[in-house]
Amino acid sequence: MQYNYWKYSLLSGIFFLSIACFFSACNSKNSFAGKVVFTQLPINNLNDDQLAQMDWKYLPEMNIVMANMESTLENIEVLTKDFYSARAPEVNFDGESMVFSGQKDENDTWQIWTLKFNGLEFSQVTQSGKDCTDPTWLPDGRIAFSQLIEEENGLKYHALFTIGSDGCCEQRISFQPHEDLNASVMNDGRIIFTSRQVYPENGRTKYLVMRPDGTKAELFYLPEDNYGKSLSDAVEDDNGNVLFTNSGRLISIKFSHPLHSKYDLLQMNQGSVMSVFPMDQNQYLLSIKKPTEHSFGLSVFSLNGNESNDFYYSNAEFNLVEPVIIMQRELPKKLPTRVNMELESGHFFCMNSDNSDIDIDVQSGETAKIQVLGLDTILGETAVEEDGSFYVELEADQPVRFQTLNGAGEILRGPSSWMWIRPNERRGCTGCHADREIAPENVVPKAIEKQPVAMVK
Amino acid sequence: MKKKRIYLVVIFIFIIGVGFTALHKWSVEHVIYMTGGVPHPIGCISCHVYPEREGLAANLLNEDYLSPLNASVSSDGSRLYVIAQEADLLIEVDLKTNKVLSNIKVGRRPHSVMLSPDQKIAYVSNQWANNIYLIDLVSHQVLDSIITGGGPACMDLSVDGKNLYVANTYTNNISVIDLLQKQEIKRLHGGNFPTGVAASPSGNFVFVSSQRSLPVGSRTEPQTEITILNAHTNRVEVRRNYTSAHIMENVAVTPDGDMAIVTLVRPKNLVPSAQIEQGWMINHGIGVIFNNGEMAQLLLDEPNAFYPDPYDVVIHPNGNYAYVSHSGVNIVSVLDLDVIRELINNASESELRMYANHLGLSNKYVVARIKTGANPKGLAISPDGKFVYVIERMEDHVSVIDTDINEVINSIDLGGPKRITLTRKGGKLFNNAGHTFHNQYSCYTCHPDGHEDGLTYDLTGSGRDFANVQTLRDLNGTAPFKWIGTNQSVYKQCGMRFSMFVTRTESFSPEDLDAVVAYIMRELTHPPNLNRLPHGELTEAQKRGKEIYERTMTTDGREIPEKDRCITCHNGPNYSNYQMADVGTLKEYDSPTMFDAPNLNNVYESAPYLHDGSAATLEEIWTKFNPDDQHGYANDMTKDQLNDLVEYLKSLGAARYYVEDINYNVNKGHL
């Protein structure tokens, strides 16, 4: 048999080439790592009021831009040049793609899109007939975002949804007449978002947290003063701090103790801040308008409020906001769920309805009943037990409020904030508007020893 | 011929392929069954090799760690004496060089060490041997041993150095030892599982903290005793209870004696476990007793961050700061005692009650949180207060904290194995709260020392079906698990449903689950049951009790149906037939179900009893909860017979001590 030189050379070549490709793939770095991605707002498209209230979610001609971050920005590239308008970039935890909200053409609704950096491959995630905005990645690869809800009665607000990155399985997860926006994910796996009541009257914007399945929504932080809508999305760094902007001020609160640990990071004379992104080594990338500037640029600050001299960039034609750096991040916790969409109700109980931090004088034992309110109806009433507890079955995924009544049917306290129950959720409270920092007493609430009172339509 | 060989090879490969496919299919189904219905990437080795305690594979895969627990510093600050609990050693460390000087062999499972006032003798409590060793610190020889009650734990000397007070955990009493006579002179009744001991500097009192709640009845909040002895009369001066608290592992008294501080856990076992957020499951903190008798509890947790398993507390000689080790999160907290004094002195009764549940208060008095190595347990403070020594049980190390800057400045290697085995990794996971939401509790929190905490919990969140926590000791061969017997393996027990109902966060990864299961199955074991005579024989009462346990006829001569005999359901090395049964113990708050016959190994230390903890004592199982003889025939017994039966039950030890009675054949139902 003759030795086939060419055949064996070819086979060897293919073999060694495969080996080389294999190792090269193993060792390939993300060539986009370290770049910064941000939103460009044309200066003239935004008035001061809109800017102050961060009301740029659906403005025209915004773009998402990527650049190298050296002492200034270099190799600036508009990523969304094929979009009429786009904003709110957020990089995935693996650093290889981003999600954003975009309006493909001028008359289109805003939808959620993803972009793979390698190959600049766009993919539309939502196919909603309503505007979608403020997307954020969840640790299981799904995306949370806000979608405009328009009720038959004319009420308009944004609710939170989740969806697979392939567009599958869209599910609503917040069910209150609130503007629920600016969602982001904390290290413990919960979603933190800004929330402002819009019905029956406008309320203060606050931060709520909840599990990604829409359960256990609770207050995280309430600004002490009423700054209207101007809270940014909140970000958590590696030092246990949660940072956000509030009417141009950069605020830090302790994750472990959010309600009473507020700290202003910058002096007012340092500038007005619109967005913050935590970098490594206790540094933060800010969208900031310095007193001497006419637009928001990007700058790096440290935790003690000192500006880094190593980087600054601004552009006279644009406000630069929502910066994120392309980098790998540690995955937050993936929280389990007990939501069962085959069920239609959940259960809620209160340990002691007399337990409250509302400054209204109510004698212990004066509360006789709880009234459960829907959007425009009274869903039902139930007597409270001698220990002040009550236990109800609520229709799932419907907004409800509570108020306490005395024996004569007069309102003692309430109505409470809106809340909802997910299918199969069990939820409890220590009291009616009780201090959030107080754990429950270790007792069996009397009401739980009986069947829940149904408050379903 | 060549073709025939090829055909044979092909057929052989085909048979192998078919066999492999069938075996693989079976193994996948087997794993799904054992892990609770979720496909799980574990292999045979996970269940059939890692948990093994003996054999070549077990020896190759595992190491003998030191697992230090407590320590004492010499009065000149030059030496640290460390108890290596799993190695049965007392380790002497030179604190100038931070090097181990010597390893001194002591008794079984040593717990604590105290130094004599002249620093010449070390007293070591041997928890699995019921005695104290007196060690000559010059010759390193055991000079003497002194018998104590069962399970001696922490100790403290009287101010005059004449007496040694020892908490006997397993027999609920406190030994008073006369050191001149070198013998126990009194044994006082303590709380439930007494552990910590601290003598007041005034010389008037001795405080003894307890781990478990007193019997309080079903659906009632725990009450855990701190026993205060009169050090002059060596009598119990007063018993005070902390409400809704337990696991009070250690106690310390301030230098001027104005207050005693005890570490404690505040379980929410009665609260429907609808959620874990906002401290709804378990909180952690300290208890304070002032010398005027006023008591208070304060949390060391924060609203979104918890500091579980507070183990030891030491107080700075200036009386201004206390240091608390949190074994579940690898932290030592530094507390400002002046702030605590002011807070409590200015509080009303209702405010004090509120403080005990206030998660936001700790930022007033916690001045520092110092990160340590894995599983910080015992603390020792240098006489000048400059250093706190932190015993890191899962590291075989001691961290040295500089109290001026509240930072770890040094680490002392005690000389344990450097290889971290799978089982050791599992031990770190078991003792760390990183796998629960906001670190609210670790496995240890409800299973201290691998046992159970003596409480029942509403884990369904419905106010019904309260479950009595069960021990994790010696689980090998005792499946199924849970009272209702639904879990075929510990993998399933600690798997996805565990994360949904208990930890409320991301479940263990397959690798971590392997490690935790290996640790639980291999390392957690019952202590010796010393309720028998010294060489293991039964006492006369226990022998009589054994006859009753194995009887087939009632006292009036009727045959007891086989299904109603104790030995039918409770036989074999673990005293269980692993079958489901209805023994008539369901209550109004229970869903209809049968129960898996529980193991009775070391049942004497597992109160309360029954699935819902409703029986405070073994006796109550039959005097209160067996009116129709559904849980074995008992109503024909005399009180003496019942007493004897209970005595026998108390003598049942771990499976490794089981001696089969070859005269009894359970199948034939007669002796």
Side-chain angles (χ1 to χ4, degrees):
Chain A
M1 195 165 79
Q2 287 195 335
Y3 183 78
N4 191 330
Y5 176 80
W6 291 111
K7 175 180 161 189
Y8 286 110
S9 296
L10 185 63
L11 284 172
S12 302
I14 290 171
F15 174 73
F16 284 114
L17 192 61
S18 306
I19 299 289
C21 286
F22 173 76
F23 281 108
S24 133
C26 282
N27 294 326
S28 69
K29 280 189 199 174
N30 181 352
S31 56
F32 297 89
K35 295 192 176 198
V36 61
V37 176
F38 55 92
T39 301
Q40 246 175 206
L41 302 178
I43 293 258
N44 296 329
N45 283 8
L46 198 66
N47 62 43
D48 286 345
D49 208 35
Q50 283 173 315
L51 195 63
Q53 295 191 24
M54 305 184 68
D55 193 7
W56 63 67
K57 301 214 183 284
Y58 301 120
L59 289 180
E61 297 174 343
M62 294 186 286
N63 267 310
I64 295 176
V65 173
M66 179 170 69
N68 290 340
M69 207 171 134
E70 307 293 341
S71 58
T72 184
L73 291 187
E74 296 174 5
N75 299 328
I76 298 170
E77 181 186 354
V78 176
L79 294 175
T80 55
K81 46 184 173 296
D82 293 333
F83 283 74
Y84 174 71
S85 193
R87 61 162 285 268
E90 187 174 302
V91 177
N92 200 349
F93 297 102
D94 59 12
E96 300 197 351
S97 60
M98 75 175 196
V99 67
F100 65 97
S101 62
Q103 190 184 19
K104 200 72 170 53
D105 296 308
E106 187 173 355
N107 295 318
D108 285 347
T109 50
W110 285 75
Q111 299 298 322
I112 305 301
W113 292 76
T114 58
L115 166 66
K116 281 190 188 156
F117 294 122
N118 218 349
L120 292 181
E121 195 182 312
F122 287 89
S123 183
Q124 185 172 347
V125 178
T126 56
Q127 306 280 348
S128 170
K130 301 292 179 196
D131 289 327
C132 302
T133 187
D134 293 345
T136 189
W137 291 102
L138 296 174
D140 60 1
R142 290 182 302 137
I143 295 164
F145 64 97
S146 296
Q147 186 177 129
L148 184 65
I149 304 288
E150 290 180 290
E151 304 279 16
E152 286 173 0
N153 59 9
L155 195 58
K156 277 189 191 181
Y157 55 91
H158 287 82
L160 289 178
F161 285 72
T162 59
I163 191 168
S165 58
D166 57 357
C168 166
C169 314
E170 180 177 303
Q171 198 185 111
R172 184 173 170 178
I173 58 169
S174 76
F175 300 88
Q176 52 184 356
H178 277 225
E179 281 280 31
D180 292 334
L181 294 162
N182 299 309
S184 59
V185 175
M186 298 203 292
N187 293 338
D188 67 3
R190 293 185 298 174
I191 296 173
I192 182 169
F193 57 101
T194 61
S195 188
R196 180 177 63 83
Q197 181 178 298
V198 298
Y199 183 85
E201 61 276 328
N202 287 331
R204 289 163 63 180
T205 311
K206 51 195 170 185
Y207 285 105
L208 301 185
V209 286
M210 70 179 177
R211 292 175 171 247
D213 59 3
T215 59
K216 311 292 186 278
E218 62 180 29
L219 176 69
F220 188 80
Y221 177 73
L222 179 68
E224 290 147 357
D225 33 22
N226 189 357
Y227 288 105
K229 307 177 203 173
S230 57
L231 289 177
S232 72
D233 56 330
V235 292
E236 187 180 0
D237 67 12
D238 293 332
N239 298 311
N241 302 310
V242 176
L243 294 102
F244 54 91
T245 68
N246 183 354
S247 282
R249 298 177 339 176
L250 180 61
I251 308 290
S252 169
I253 57 178
K254 282 283 174 203
F255 169 79
S256 60
H257 192 194
L259 289 176
H260 303 292
S261 61
K262 169 181 163 275
Y263 182 70
D264 272 280
L265 279 179
L266 295 187
Q267 302 295 324
M268 288 306 293
N269 60 8
Q270 287 179 285
S272 180
V273 183
M274 232 1 95
S275 320
V276 55
F277 181 82
M279 303 166 68
D280 294 333
Q281 297 167 355
N282 295 330
Q283 293 196 309
Y284 303 89
L285 180 59
L286 304 183
S287 164
I288 182 168
K289 182 175 167 186
K290 297 187 186 180
T292 53
E293 302 286 335
H294 296 290
S295 62
F296 283 82
L298 303 180
S299 186
V300 174
F301 278 74
S302 60
L303 196 63
N304 58 14
N306 291 335
E307 185 177 8
S308 162
N309 293 324
D310 296 332
F311 173 80
Y312 179 72
Y313 177 77
S314 68
N315 185 318
E317 291 176 46
F318 297 102
N319 286 308
L320 311 180
V321 296
E322 301 172 339
V324 292
I325 293 178
I326 300 176
M327 60 192 228
Q328 282 188 339
R329 292 179 291 150
E330 195 168 330
L331 270 180
K333 300 285 187 190
K334 292 177 205 160
L335 301 179
T337 181
R338 289 165 63 179
V339 169
N340 182 348
M341 297 305 295
E342 292 180 10
L343 299 177
E344 293 178 346
S345 65
H347 295 98
F348 176 79
F349 65 91
C350 175
M351 302 287 290
N352 181 359
S353 49
D354 286 333
N355 180 14
S356 176
D357 65 357
I358 295 177
D359 192 18
I360 296 175
D361 190 25
V362 173
Q363 301 298 318
S364 174
E366 194 178 348
T367 305
K369 284 188 179 179
I370 296 296
Q371 198 172 60
V372 183
L373 312 172
L375 268 178
D376 290 302
T377 59
I378 296 174
L379 295 176
E381 288 180 6
T382 182
V384 303
E385 299 292 331
E386 61 196 41
D387 62 355
S389 63
F390 66 88
Y391 182 30
V392 293
E393 180 187 1
L394 300 172
E395 194 172 337
D397 298 346
Q398 294 294 325
V400 295
R401 294 191 293 176
F402 297 91
Q403 50 194 18
T404 56
L405 312 177
N406 62 13
E410 296 163 332
I411 298 171
L412 293 172
R413 292 194 184 107
S416 65
S417 305
W418 291 104
M419 61 158 284
W420 68 92
I421 284 282
R422 302 262 23 236
N424 199 39
E425 182 184 359
R426 301 188 68 79
R427 177 95 191 255
C429 282
T430 55
C432 285
H433 211 282
D435 189 331
R436 299 268 167 193
E437 294 190 328
I438 296 187
E441 291 273 1
N442 189 24
V443 292
V444 182
K446 291 256 179 285
I448 207 88
E449 293 174 343
K450 304 172 184 171
Q451 291 296 316
V453 177
M455 298 286 161
V456 294
K457 286 184 198 160
Chain B
M1 192 63 186
K2 192 175 173 184
K3 266 193 186 174
K4 198 175 174 185
R5 274 193 210 149
I6 292 171
Y7 286 144
L8 281 173
V9 167
V10 169
I11 289 167
F12 179 73
I13 291 172
F14 177 76
I15 291 170
I16 294 292
V18 167
F20 177 79
T21 304
L23 183 65
H24 183 257
K25 184 169 182 292
W26 175 86
S27 63
V28 167
E29 287 168 3
H30 172 70
V31 166
I32 288 174
Y33 170 72
M34 294 301 283
T35 59
V38 177
H40 196 290
I42 62 170
C44 307
I45 197 172
S46 299
C47 293
H48 298 286
V49 176
Y50 290 144
E52 291 303 314
R53 289 180 174 175
E54 289 165 356
L56 178 63
N59 291 337
L60 289 173
L61 289 170
N62 292 286
E63 295 275 4
D64 293 326
Y65 293 96
L66 299 172
S67 301
L69 184 63
N70 285 307
S72 257
V73 185
S74 61
S75 58
D76 63 0
S78 68
R79 295 282 188 272
L80 183 71
Y81 294 90
V82 181
I83 292 289
Q85 196 182 45
E86 289 187 3
D88 298 345
L89 292 174
L90 176 67
I91 300 176
E92 184 183 19
V93 177
D94 183 333
L95 289 176
K96 290 194 175 59
T97 62
N98 288 334
K99 299 279 184 222
V100 170
L101 289 174
S102 55
N103 292 327
I104 306 166
K105 194 77 183 146
V106 292
R108 291 191 73 192
R109 281 294 168 122
H111 188 283
S112 297
V113 56
M114 285 294 308
L115 302 182
S116 61
D118 62 8
Q119 308 292 290
K120 291 181 180 172
I121 295 176
Y123 304 103
V124 173
S125 55
N126 299 311
Q127 196 166 47
W128 283 17
N130 291 3
N131 61 28
I132 304 288
Y133 271 8
L134 280 65
I135 309 285
D136 184 318
L137 288 178
V138 173
S139 66
H140 295 167
Q141 298 299 311
V142 176
L143 291 174
D144 212 336
S145 69
I146 304 172
I147 302 266
T148 62
C154 294
M155 306 171 281
D156 205 356
L157 284 164
S158 58
V159 164
D160 59 12
K162 290 182 180 171
N163 291 331
L164 184 69
Y165 298 90
V166 184
N168 299 314
T169 304
Y170 302 153
T171 46
N172 297 344
N173 46 43
I174 304 156
S175 291
V176 182
I177 293 175
D178 182 320
L179 290 172
L180 205 58
Q181 299 179 45
K182 292 205 181 76
Q183 67 178 41
E184 185 186 37
I185 55 170
K186 274 198 178 183
R187 193 176 290 183
L188 306 169
H189 190 69
N192 196 356
F193 272 52
T195 49
V197 181
S200 68
S202 64
N204 294 333
F205 301 110
V206 177
F207 296 86
V208 181
S209 63
S210 304
Q211 208 187 53
R212 291 162 75 109
S213 168
L214 297 167
V216 292
S218 186
R219 300 165 81 88
T220 307
E221 54 185 343
Q223 301 278 341
T224 305
E225 178 177 309
I226 184 158
T227 320
I228 303 173
L229 310 181
N230 183 316
H232 300 294
T233 62
N234 288 325
R235 289 181 154 185
V236 175
E237 177 79 5
V238 67
R239 301 179 191 278
R240 304 293 301 276
N241 293 341
Y242 278 105
T243 301
S244 260
H246 71 158
I247 317 287
M248 306 197 305
E249 302 256 32
N250 276 291
V251 58
V253 186
T254 52
D256 62 3
D258 70 322
M259 60 177 169
I261 299 175
V262 62
T263 55
L264 53 77
V265 173
R266 286 182 57 77
K268 306 294 177 191
N269 60 306
L270 303 179
V271 176
S273 63
Q275 61 227 30
I276 188 173
E277 286 87 337
Q278 208 184 324
W280 268 60
M281 301 280 276
I282 303 185
N283 306 155
H284 312 269
I286 56 169
V288 177
I289 299 185
F290 285 98
N291 54 10
N292 61 3
E294 188 174 12
M295 290 173 69
Q297 296 182 52
L298 296 171
L299 296 182
L300 300 180
D301 297 330
E302 295 176 274
N304 285 336
F306 293 81
Y307 297 88
D309 309 329
Y311 183 78
D312 203 357
V313 53
V314 293
I315 298 177
H316 196 284
N318 63 18
N320 293 340
Y321 295 101
Y323 303 84
V324 174
S325 58
H326 299 273
S327 315
V329 278
N330 309 344
I331 293 272
V332 166
S333 294
V334 184
L335 316 184
D336 187 327
L337 293 181
D338 284 335
V339 171
I340 288 175
R341 288 179 178 103
E342 192 178 338
L343 194 67
I344 296 175
N345 287 337
N346 293 334
S348 63
E349 278 292 322
S350 61
E351 281 173 330
L352 281 182
R353 198 172 163 79
M354 183 256 293
Y355 288 171
N357 290 317
H358 202 313
L359 294 163
L361 216 52
S362 61
N363 70 333
K364 291 186 189 298
Y365 42 80
V366 175
V367 298
R369 306 265 192 199
I370 308 168
K371 285 191 185 166
T372 69
N375 199 215
K377 286 284 202 183
L379 300 174
I381 190 162
S382 59
D384 58 6
K386 185 135 173 55
F387 303 109
V388 169
Y389 302 96
V390 183
I391 309 305
E392 293 163 355
R393 182 174 172 79
M394 286 287 154
E395 301 278 11
D396 286 356
H397 270 220
V398 176
S399 274
V400 184
I401 293 174
D402 183 325
T403 57
D404 288 335
I405 56 176
N406 283 331
E407 284 181 18
V408 171
I409 57 166
N410 233 322
S411 178
I412 303 171
D413 183 353
L414 295 175
K418 298 296 174 275
R419 178 171 69 126
I420 304 299
T421 62
L422 184 79
T423 308
R424 189 64 160 184
K425 179 185 170 188
K428 291 185 180 187
L429 291 168
F430 184 92
N431 287 284
N432 189 279
H435 281 279
T436 59
F437 190 75
H438 290 173
N439 298 335
Q440 199 165 122
Y441 40 87
S442 67
C443 306
Y444 181 97
T445 309
C446 298
H447 296 280
D449 301 320
H451 196 34
E452 35 87 355
D453 64 2
L455 296 183
T456 58
Y457 286 80
D458 178 6
L459 285 181
T460 63
S462 63
R464 301 175 57 79
D465 300 319
F466 276 56
N468 191 359
V469 179
Q470 292 180 292
T471 188
L472 298 182
R473 294 170 172 169
D474 290 329
L475 289 186
N476 261 312
T478 66
F481 304 106
K482 285 184 70 163
W483 281 102
I484 52 176
T486 50
N487 287 351
Q488 300 84 356
S489 68
V490 177
Y491 274 92
K492 183 176 177 186
Q493 184 77 12
C494 301
M496 174 55 72
R497 285 180 65 79
F498 183 69
S499 78
M500 281 169 56
F501 286 91
V502 180
T503 64
R504 311 293 172 113
T505 187
E506 190 168 329
S507 56
F508 286 115
S509 67
E511 298 76 23
D512 283 355
L513 193 53
D514 262 351
V516 168
V517 172
Y519 174 76
I520 290 172
M521 302 299 272
R522 190 175 187 278
E523 297 295 321
L524 300 181
T525 186
H526 286 293
N529 183 333
L530 299 169
N531 285 315
R532 298 182 173 211
L533 293 173
H535 296 290
E537 312 96 326
L538 296 177
T539 64
E540 290 305 313
Q542 289 166 352
K543 286 178 187 170
R544 293 192 300 267
K546 186 171 187 285
E547 288 183 10
I548 295 169
Y549 186 85
E550 294 170 355
R551 68 177 184 162
T552 60
M553 309 289 278
T554 62
T555 52
D556 56 0
R558 292 172 290 132
E559 185 172 7
I560 300 174
E562 195 172 328
K563 69 174 180 59
D564 295 320
R565 300 172 191 169
C566 304
I567 198 143
T568 301
C569 296
H570 294 287
N571 59 68
N574 292 306
Y575 307 98
S576 170
N577 65 353
Y578 313 117
Q579 301 294 317
M580 305 293 288
D582 175 7
V583 292
T585 53
L586 289 172
K587 313 293 191 310
E588 64 175 306
Y589 299 118
D590 292 322
S591 303
T593 187
M594 294 201 289
F595 296 111
D596 171 44
N599 311 328
L600 300 184
N601 309 97
N602 273 23
V603 71
Y604 78 93
E605 57 166 2
S606 293
Y609 302 100
L610 299 181
H611 67 283
D612 58 354
S614 51
T617 63
L618 286 167
E619 188 181 84
E620 282 191 5
I621 295 173
W622 296 285
T623 57
K624 283 175 79 170
F625 299 106
N626 192 36
D628 301 320
D629 278 338
Q630 276 185 273
H631 195 175
Y633 271 41
N635 289 300
D636 64 306
M637 290 186 207
T638 64
K639 186 63 172 62
D640 284 340
Q641 285 176 316
L642 183 60
N643 289 347
D644 290 339
L645 174 64
V646 168
E647 284 305 304
Y648 174 66
L649 290 174
K650 287 180 181 175
S651 76
L652 301 180
R656 63 185 182 274
Y657 301 115
Y658 178 79
V659 175
E660 188 166 0
D661 184 341
I662 60 172
N663 294 317
Y664 183 79
N665 185 325
V666 65
N667 291 323
K668 291 189 178 170
H670 58 80
L671 283 165

